Amino acid sequence: MTNLNQKKQQIIANLKAVRELKPLVVNITNYVVMNNTANALLAIGASPIMAHSKQEMAEMMSFSGALVINIGTLDSVWTPRMAYAVEQANANNKVVVLDPVGCGASQLRTETARNIVRTANKLIVRGNASEIIALAGEQAKSKGVDALDSSDAALDSAKFLANEYKCSVVVSGSTDYVVSETEVVQLNNGDTMMPYVTGMGCTHTALTGAFAAIGDTTGLASTAVLGIAGEIAAEKSAGPGSLQLNLLDVLYQLDDETLLNRLKIS
Amino acid sequence: MTNLNQKKQQIIANLKAVRELKPLVVNITNYVVMNNTANALLAIGASPIMAHSKQEMAEMMSFSGALVINIGTLDSVWTPRMAYAVEQANANNKVVVLDPVGCGASQLRTETARNIVRTANKLIVRGNASEIIALAGEQAKSKGVDALDSSDAALDSAKFLANEYKCSVVVSGSTDYVVSETEVVQLNNGDTMMPYVTGMGCTHTALTGAFAAIGDTTGLASTAVLGIAGEIAAEKSAGPGSLQLNLLDVLYQLDDETLLNRLKIS
Amino acid sequence: MTNLNQKKQQIIANLKAVRELKPLVVNITNYVVMNNTANALLAIGASPIMAHSKQEMAEMMSFSGALVINIGTLDSVWTPRMAYAVEQANANNKVVVLDPVGCGASQLRTETARNIVRTANKLIVRGNASEIIALAGEQAKSKGVDALDSSDAALDSAKFLANEYKCSVVVSGSTDYVVSETEVVQLNNGDTMMPYVTGMGCTHTALTGAFAAIGDTTGLASTAVLGIAGEIAAEKSAGPGSLQLNLLDVLYQLDDETLLNRLKIS
């Protein structure tokens, strides 16, 4: 319990730090969610930079706090930009947060995601179960996976990735798991309407970048904050259109007391 | 009347099928509407994939239900991707739904749209009157067009396209027409505020892809569903910002009774 | 005072003209805000065209009223398109409205923005203080800048640009300045929540394009309209998600009386 209380206090402290420090977060993300994720970063108090050109990435990474890479609409023009941005993040000792969107759905996605996992020095991966399973591949898969849609099914894969690449792995689902080399933290906030908004996972990843920029290299704070904000927003929403909007309002307003009262962590 | 009642029951059945089967729909669409159209597909119960790379299109089309192509922000990088995706849709016997955005406004748009119409084996075209008229070109135009802004004016062009390319053509306007080789169906739902939301037509086209993926190769179900959802959403909306949001909520909630009560078809 | 009253009447007249003439505005803008800015143009009554291909830009500029260029997500593929579009705007005697997003944050942005400023024949620049200061560079900077975050600090830079390039410069901040060769107009509408919505400045720039297309080459009308619409929308909004939506509704509904009552100009 003491350990969980420490974690709760750390999440509160991290949220405060994002709002005070307004960290710059560079995002190479997909076309679909650029607006949402920039808005989510602003709502939580961070400063989004949506930039991808090799011509400016070295400068951008020199004064930014973290790099978010999301492969949602990747192609042969964008993958070299992602690789170069990871090099610059490494050179500047910055955390890379990877969202392996659709990993497993095509060879291009699987290989691109794996290449980033292999090359990033400081890494957090945030994905859903099937993406994390595909990213880990055969070595983890061989342990047996029954429920492909449940985040439980991806736990072995997440642990494999955490150990193999010395990174943190966040698996999103009805239960969220934050997996490091040394522990697994389970969170049970959120709402079943959230998957009906496109890019809710991408927003999770972007927020993970904001918290990474102020020192949370686990992905725990963003997972807690988005789960709670999403469940509050869903309670006010007649459908996914309202949810997308209300989420931004709730992120903007979220206070410590609400966070502590709502948080389901174990 | 019996025929119309059958059509109404078919629309109900198609909506149920989309929600149960959650068909995957690949979208090569414009930058402006990617978020909206992905959200509309999710709200109606389908599974959007926003992908465009040649490196993964063969895989994507092998397990998806339909291909939506929207030329709204086309350029020399994207047009070959569109052509290649049509080839892959053909190879996998999937329907292509084309939105010829701005056809007639530039040679690039007119030629790109015509090229897709010529090459897609299974095709639905969804556009406004001026786009459909420009797509059909001189052969249809020679029959005389008076009211360039009305969907009525595009009927001859739509019929020409339907016969020439063995496709279905949906013409959007204050009256919507669903035109096949054998019949013309007229729908009168919708609201005058809808054109004040960018990409409302693109949303129509994306939804047409969802219904095509479960077997509606006419475009009728999506035209009915969007017209009705749009008019319900507009009744609740003080302006186009609210309308964009409310439309997603209404698509998510739409039930059979409301659909049957509202539907104006002839 | 007479002069200010004339300005107020001119703003009212310009809003009416946009709604009646529905000017076409070509936008080469960033991926993040394409949806918002297209929607803002529609809500105010203009007709957005989001197009960037060299293959159609000559045609597009021949029948459009203005060109908006926003460098928010620029790269080596897009900068030549921007340069070519400026050539076409010049050839067709159309106003170019530049948003130098992030000017000063990277060499690429600073050089690209400066190149556009040097080449556009008819020009309005709309940016925040740090962007305008970076755009003007050393010559203006040498006059001394203390408060880098305030729009006041950019006044010298704005005046330098206005004189050097015979253009109008709009500096956004808690106070907005509209700076021409001959005068400085100060506006004090808006709300502190506005910077929490991504692309609020980009929307300002896009609206400036709409008013430029009907003859306001100063940027005054768009600055007044957005400041007032933003402050009304913020009053109704629990957070930035609501604000983004309400802004579109308010732009759609804005009437002359509200505009005159709210306008803080000096």
Side-chain angles (χ1 to χ4, degrees):
Chain A
M1 278 310 269
T2 313
N3 188 22
L4 282 183
N5 278 334
Q6 283 175 346
K7 283 190 172 31
K8 288 181 183 180
Q9 291 308 319
Q10 195 57 52
I11 292 168
I12 299 291
N14 284 334
L15 179 57
K16 195 179 173 195
V18 166
R19 286 176 174 160
E20 285 181 0
L21 301 174
K22 301 188 175 302
L24 289 162
V25 182
V26 172
N27 297 266
I28 301 187
T29 189
N30 70 69
Y31 300 124
V32 185
V33 305
M34 283 194 189
N35 188 267
N36 301 45
T37 57
N39 271 326
L41 286 166
L42 283 169
I44 203 65
S47 300
I49 300 180
M50 318 315 268
H52 60 271
S53 174
K54 286 187 182 182
Q55 295 171 286
E56 63 178 0
M57 193 51 66
E59 289 163 273
M60 292 291 180
M61 285 317 306
S62 73
F63 57 74
S64 297
L67 171 66
V68 172
I69 297 190
N70 177 307
I71 66 168
T73 52
L74 84 179
D75 60 35
S76 59
V77 180
W78 282 71
T79 50
R81 292 168 177 167
M82 294 172 184
Y84 180 75
V86 171
E87 283 177 34
Q88 295 306 316
N90 287 344
N92 289 281
N93 205 29
K94 303 290 166 63
V95 176
V96 175
V97 185
L98 171 67
D99 193 326
V101 180
C103 187
S106 75
Q107 280 192 34
L108 175 65
R109 286 167 194 256
T110 307
E111 284 167 18
T112 301
R114 285 182 183 165
N115 189 51
I116 293 167
V117 166
R118 276 192 296 265
T119 52
N121 288 344
K122 292 182 164 186
L123 177 70
I124 307 173
V125 180
R126 204 291 320 162
N128 62 32
S130 66
E131 289 160 352
I132 297 301
I133 290 166
L135 185 59
E138 289 309 316
Q139 294 159 282
K141 224 173 178 176
S142 64
K143 293 179 185 175
V145 168
D146 291 314
L148 273 166
D149 288 327
S150 154
S151 48
D152 299 4
L155 256 185
D156 282 345
S157 296
K159 287 176 188 167
F160 168 80
L161 290 167
N163 282 295
E164 185 77 6
Y165 299 104
K166 315 296 174 204
C167 64
S168 186
V169 180
V170 180
V171 188
S172 301
S174 56
T175 297
D176 296 323
Y177 292 102
V178 177
V179 179
S180 69
E181 287 180 86
T182 52
E183 65 175 353
V184 175
V185 182
Q186 181 176 332
L187 295 103
N188 284 87
N189 293 101
D191 187 279
T192 53
M193 202 198 280
M194 291 171 75
Y196 286 89
V197 177
T198 193
M200 194 58 87
C202 308
T203 296
H204 189 167
T205 305
L207 294 180
T208 304
F211 286 101
I214 56 92
D216 176 12
T217 57
T218 65
L220 182 61
S222 66
T223 305
V225 164
L226 185 71
I228 289 165
E231 90 187 20
I232 297 171
E235 289 165 9
K236 303 178 181 182
S237 298
S242 301
L243 176 51
Q244 184 169 33
L245 173 154
N246 286 328
L247 178 71
L248 296 173
D249 286 2
V250 175
L251 286 172
Y252 181 75
Q253 299 166 330
L254 192 62
D255 58 45
D256 296 356
E257 200 186 333
T258 306
L259 214 160
L260 283 176
N261 286 342
R262 293 263 186 173
L263 189 59
K264 293 180 192 160
I265 188 172
S266 59
Chain B
M1 276 312 268
T2 314
N3 188 23
L4 281 182
N5 278 334
Q6 284 174 347
K7 283 191 171 31
K8 288 181 184 180
Q9 291 307 318
Q10 194 57 50
I11 292 167
I12 300 291
N14 284 333
L15 179 57
K16 195 179 173 194
V18 166
R19 285 175 175 161
E20 284 181 0
L21 301 175
K22 299 187 176 303
L24 290 162
V25 182
V26 173
N27 297 265
I28 301 186
T29 189
N30 70 69
Y31 300 124
V32 184
V33 304
M34 284 195 190
N35 188 268
N36 300 45
T37 56
N39 271 327
L41 286 166
L42 284 168
I44 203 66
S47 300
I49 301 180
M50 317 315 268
H52 61 270
S53 175
K54 285 188 183 181
Q55 296 171 286
E56 62 178 2
M57 193 50 67
E59 289 164 272
M60 291 292 179
M61 284 317 306
S62 73
F63 58 73
S64 296
L67 171 66
V68 172
I69 297 190
N70 177 308
I71 66 168
T73 52
L74 83 180
D75 60 34
S76 59
V77 181
W78 282 72
T79 50
R81 292 169 176 166
M82 294 172 184
Y84 181 74
V86 171
E87 284 176 33
Q88 295 305 316
N90 287 344
N92 289 280
N93 205 28
K94 303 290 166 63
V95 175
V96 175
V97 185
L98 171 66
D99 193 325
V101 181
C103 186
S106 75
Q107 279 192 34
L108 176 65
R109 286 167 194 256
T110 306
E111 283 166 19
T112 301
R114 286 182 182 165
N115 190 49
I116 292 168
V117 166
R118 276 192 296 265
T119 51
N121 288 344
K122 292 182 165 188
L123 176 70
I124 307 174
V125 180
R126 203 293 318 161
N128 62 32
S130 66
E131 290 159 353
I132 297 300
I133 291 167
L135 186 58
E138 288 310 316
Q139 293 160 282
K141 224 173 179 175
S142 63
K143 293 179 186 174
V145 167
D146 291 314
L148 272 166
D149 288 325
S150 153
S151 48
D152 300 5
L155 258 186
D156 283 344
S157 296
K159 287 176 188 169
F160 168 80
L161 290 168
N163 282 295
E164 184 78 5
Y165 299 105
K166 316 296 175 201
C167 64
S168 186
V169 180
V170 180
V171 189
S172 301
S174 56
T175 297
D176 296 323
Y177 292 102
V178 178
V179 179
S180 68
E181 288 179 86
T182 52
E183 66 175 352
V184 175
V185 182
Q186 181 176 332
L187 295 103
N188 283 88
N189 294 102
D191 189 277
T192 53
M193 203 197 280
M194 291 171 76
Y196 285 89
V197 178
T198 193
M200 194 56 85
C202 308
T203 296
H204 189 167
T205 305
L207 295 179
T208 304
F211 286 100
I214 54 91
D216 176 12
T217 56
T218 65
L220 181 62
S222 66
T223 305
V225 164
L226 185 70
I228 290 165
E231 90 186 19
I232 297 171
E235 289 165 9
K236 303 177 181 182
S237 298
S242 301
L243 176 52
Q244 184 169 33
L245 173 153
N246 286 328
L247 178 71
L248 296 173
D249 287 2
V250 175
L251 286 172
Y252 181 74
Q253 299 166 330
L254 191 63
D255 58 46
D256 297 355
E257 200 186 333
T258 306
L259 215 160
L260 283 176
N261 286 343
R262 292 264 187 173
L263 187 59
K264 293 180 193 160
I265 188 170
S266 57
Chain C
M1 276 311 268
T2 314
N3 188 22
L4 282 183
N5 278 334
Q6 283 174 346
K7 283 191 172 29
K8 288 180 184 181
Q9 292 308 319
Q10 193 58 51
I11 292 167
I12 300 291
N14 285 332
L15 179 56
K16 194 180 173 194
V18 166
R19 286 176 174 160
E20 285 182 359
L21 300 175
K22 300 187 174 305
L24 289 162
V25 182
V26 172
N27 296 266
I28 300 187
T29 188
N30 69 68
Y31 300 125
V32 185
V33 305
M34 283 194 191
N35 188 267
N36 301 45
T37 56
N39 271 326
L41 285 167
L42 283 169
I44 203 65
S47 300
I49 300 179
M50 318 314 268
H52 60 271
S53 173
K54 285 187 184 182
Q55 296 172 285
E56 62 179 1
M57 193 51 67
E59 289 162 273
M60 292 292 181
M61 285 317 306
S62 73
F63 57 74
S64 296
L67 171 67
V68 171
I69 296 190
N70 177 307
I71 66 168
T73 53
L74 84 179
D75 61 34
S76 60
V77 181
W78 282 72
T79 49
R81 292 168 177 166
M82 294 171 184
Y84 181 74
V86 171
E87 284 176 34
Q88 294 306 316
N90 287 345
N92 289 279
N93 205 28
K94 304 290 165 64
V95 175
V96 175
V97 185
L98 171 68
D99 192 325
V101 180
C103 186
S106 76
Q107 280 192 34
L108 175 65
R109 286 167 194 257
T110 307
E111 284 166 18
T112 301
R114 285 182 182 165
N115 190 50
I116 292 168
V117 166
R118 276 192 295 265
T119 51
N121 288 345
K122 292 182 164 188
L123 176 70
I124 307 173
V125 180
R126 203 293 318 162
N128 62 32
S130 65
E131 290 160 352
I132 297 301
I133 290 166
L135 185 59
E138 289 310 316
Q139 293 159 282
K141 225 172 178 175
S142 63
K143 294 179 185 173
V145 168
D146 291 313
L148 273 167
D149 288 325
S150 153
S151 48
D152 299 5
L155 257 186
D156 283 345
S157 297
K159 287 175 189 169
F160 168 79
L161 290 168
N163 283 294
E164 184 77 7
Y165 299 104
K166 316 295 175 202
C167 64
S168 186
V169 180
V170 180
V171 189
S172 301
S174 56
T175 297
D176 297 322
Y177 292 102
V178 177
V179 179
S180 68
E181 286 180 87
T182 52
E183 67 176 351
V184 176
V185 182
Q186 180 177 332
L187 294 103
N188 283 87
N189 294 101
D191 188 278
T192 54
M193 202 197 280
M194 290 173 76
Y196 286 89
V197 177
T198 193
M200 194 57 86
C202 308
T203 296
H204 189 166
T205 306
L207 295 180
T208 303
F211 287 100
I214 55 91
D216 176 12
T217 57
T218 64
L220 181 61
S222 66
T223 304
V225 163
L226 185 71
I228 290 165
E231 89 186 21
I232 297 171
E235 288 165 10
K236 303 177 181 183
S237 298
S242 301
L243 176 51
Q244 185 170 33
L245 173 153
N246 286 329
L247 178 70
L248 296 173
D249 287 1
V250 175
L251 286 173
Y252 181 75
Q253 299 165 329
L254 191 62
D255 58 45
D256 296 356
E257 200 186 334
T258 306
L259 216 160
L260 282 176
N261 285 343
R262 292 263 186 174
L263 188 59
K264 293 179 192 159
I265 189 170
S266 56

